[in-house]
């Protein structure tokens, strides 16, 4: 009897390699970032052990552009390098906004809170109008310059300091006149505040400040599928990534830590798109319905493109720096 049991055990062991191969290749299809190993104990094979760690594959992804938007809804300033401390956003990014006077009660400079974009003159409420101007912000003078996009070499229509009450009043008066709505330029007077479109930062840490990241390969995939020329600058991001980063891979970063240059960030959420990006960064008429396009051609993702993140580790990021997910789920 003991001999028969030994023979039976040897027979069963001889079947285990193909059985395990079947389990690994047929019943458990290959998944990127999931590893399979065989463990043995007392000569007996066990079921494959599966690692639940996210993928750590190395991809040649890098920063291709950095942008700052000093006034919510106005044009960007192109940057080459930023230093970011814990919780920071880009220097002066969306520090000011043009609040509709009839919505004055929605924002208190002494106790700033997140306010929905519908309360401001911005890309969401006036994309074509604001796209008709070229604006720039000078960090050293903290002065905003406004020109007509159709006449970029002409004398500025306006130059005003955003840190002085008189300068903010002049900016408010100018855009009140061209928009036909009474406006007030506002900013926080008590603590760092960003007039961003997302509540993700508030939900995660109580801080409005976030970094908006867009993958130019995702934009290229949307452009190719829809047959519409699109550029990443349309999506008003702070950081545009490129290189070999696959389209939509950034969505897999939500809930994980990533490193851009020497800066460490926690990715909080995907970016829902609105009418604000229906006009290209170069201005002109609204030429595409981006939310509808995304829903139609990428229903698996819905009207989302880009991700929001918050800085959790101080450092520097420059154009050309590498970008990579470095941590497991932390949310």
């Amino acid at each position: 009897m003991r001999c028969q049991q030994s023979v039976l055990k040897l027979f069963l062991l001889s079947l285990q390699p193909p059985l395990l191969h079947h389990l690994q290749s047929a019943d458990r299809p290959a998944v990127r970032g999931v590893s399979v190993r065989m463990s043995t104990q007392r000569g007996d094979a066990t079921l494959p052990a599966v690692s639940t760690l996210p993928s750590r594959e190395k991809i040649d992804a890098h920063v291709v552009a950095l942008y700052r938007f000093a006034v919510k809804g106005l044009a960007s300033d192109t940057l080459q390098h930023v230093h970011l401390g814990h919780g920071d956003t880009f220097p002066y990014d969306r520090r000011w906004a043009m609040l509709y006077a009839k919505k004055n009660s929605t924002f208190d400079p002494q106790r700033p809170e997140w306010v929905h974009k519908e309360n401001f003159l911005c890309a969401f409420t006036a994309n074509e109008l604001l796209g008709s101007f070229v604006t720039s912000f000078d960090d050293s003078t903290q002065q905003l310059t406004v020109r007509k996009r159709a006449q970029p070499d002409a004398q500025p229509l306006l130059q005003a300091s955003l840190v002085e009450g008189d300068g903010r009043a002049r900016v408010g008066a100018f855009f009140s006149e061209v928009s036909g709505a009474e406006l007030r330029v506002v900013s926080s007077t008590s603590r760092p505040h960003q007039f961003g479109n997302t509540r993700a930062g508030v939900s995660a840490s109580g801080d409005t400040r976030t970094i908006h990241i867009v993958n130019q390969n995702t934009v290229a995939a949307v452009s190719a599928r829809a047959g519409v020329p699109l550029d990443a600058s349309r999506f008003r991001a702070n950081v545009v990534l490129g290189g070999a980063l696959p389209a939509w891979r950034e969505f897999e970063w939500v809930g994980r830590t990533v490193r851009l240059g020497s800066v460490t960030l926690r990715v909080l959420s995907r970016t829902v798109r609105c009418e604000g990006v229906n006009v290209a960064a170069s201005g002109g008429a609204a030429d595409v319905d981006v939310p509808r396009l995304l829903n139609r051609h990428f229903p698996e993702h819905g009207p989302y493109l880009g991700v929001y993140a918050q800085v959790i580790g101080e450092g520097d990021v420059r154009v050309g720096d590498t970008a990579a997910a470095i941590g497991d789920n932390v949310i």
Side-chain angles (χ1 to χ4, degrees):
M1 183 65 177
R2 190 173 294 175
C3 180
Q4 289 177 334
Q5 289 177 337
S6 298
V7 171
L8 178 60
K9 186 174 182 179
L10 288 172
F11 173 71
L12 290 174
L13 286 172
S14 70
L15 293 178
Q16 286 170 350
L19 174 61
L20 285 173
H21 174 76
H22 173 73
L23 285 171
Q24 293 174 8
S25 61
D27 294 338
R28 298 181 182 272
V31 178
R32 186 184 66 253
V34 175
S35 61
V36 179
R37 71 177 186 272
M38 182 180 74
S39 64
T40 59
Q41 184 175 12
R42 300 179 187 174
D44 297 327
T46 63
L47 289 177
V50 179
S51 170
T52 58
L53 292 178
S55 172
R56 294 175 181 273
E57 61 189 350
K58 292 184 178 180
I59 299 172
D60 180 22
H62 58 266
V63 176
V64 298
L66 300 172
Y67 299 110
R68 181 266 313 283
F69 302 81
V71 179
K72 182 180 181 69
L74 297 186
S76 65
D77 298 301
T78 301
L79 307 177
Q80 295 299 313
H81 159 255
V82 290
H83 177 81
L84 298 169
H86 188 284
D88 279 350
T89 187
F90 279 27
Y92 300 104
D93 187 66
R94 297 169 174 92
R95 178 172 171 180
W96 294 276
M98 296 180 285
L99 182 70
Y100 289 119
K102 61 183 179 181
K103 302 286 188 177
N104 271 348
S105 61
T106 62
F107 182 77
D108 182 352
Q110 291 294 327
R111 287 176 288 196
E113 302 290 344
W114 181 86
V115 179
H116 192 274
K117 56 193 171 185
E118 67 185 6
N119 296 286
F120 304 98
L121 182 75
C122 61
F124 175 66
T125 57
N127 53 15
E128 292 186 356
L129 172 66
L130 296 184
S132 68
F133 297 99
V134 176
T135 61
S136 60
F137 178 78
D138 188 313
D139 292 48
S140 61
T141 63
Q142 298 182 319
Q143 187 172 76
L144 179 73
T145 299
V146 182
R147 289 184 169 86
K148 195 71 176 173
R149 187 174 295 277
Q151 301 171 316
D153 298 324
Q155 284 292 105
L157 300 172
L158 174 70
Q159 286 184 304
S161 169
L162 288 174
V163 296
E164 298 175 358
D166 178 67
R168 291 193 299 275
R170 290 173 58 207
V171 173
F174 175 86
F175 282 101
S176 293
E177 181 178 354
V178 299
S179 69
E182 186 180 353
L183 302 166
R184 182 167 64 99
V185 177
V186 294
S187 66
S188 170
T189 58
S190 61
R191 62 173 182 260
H193 180 83
Q194 180 190 42
F195 291 99
N197 289 341
T198 180
R199 289 183 60 89
V202 177
S203 299
S205 67
D207 196 324
T208 57
R209 294 172 296 169
T210 59
I211 306 292
H212 185 204
I213 302 170
V214 163
N215 176 1
Q216 71 173 9
N217 295 322
T218 299
V219 177
V222 174
S223 182
R225 179 81 63 86
V228 176
L230 298 172
D231 187 81
S233 60
R234 172 188 292 263
F235 295 92
R236 302 181 66 81
N238 297 117
V239 180
V240 177
L241 300 179
L245 183 66
W248 308 106
R249 179 61 57 82
E250 64 278 14
F251 282 7
E252 298 178 20
W253 292 354
V254 174
R256 298 180 65 187
T257 52
V258 300
R259 182 164 291 145
L260 305 181
S262 61
V263 178
T264 305
L265 305 99
R266 177 167 54 223
V267 181
L268 306 176
S269 68
R270 299 179 299 165
T271 307
V272 64
R273 308 316 318 198
C274 69
E275 293 86 344
V277 294
N278 289 352
V279 171
S282 56
D287 57 356
V288 61
D289 186 336
V290 171
R292 183 180 178 184
L293 181 151
L294 290 169
N295 275 320
R296 177 181 179 185
H297 294 284
F298 294 92
E300 68 273 29
H301 298 303
Y304 296 88
L305 193 152
V307 294
Y308 288 109
Q310 283 188 319
V311 178
I312 60 172
E314 182 178 2
D316 296 87
V317 58
R318 295 174 171 81
V319 173
D321 279 351
T322 58
I326 60 172
D328 309 329
N329 286 13
V330 292
I331 293 179

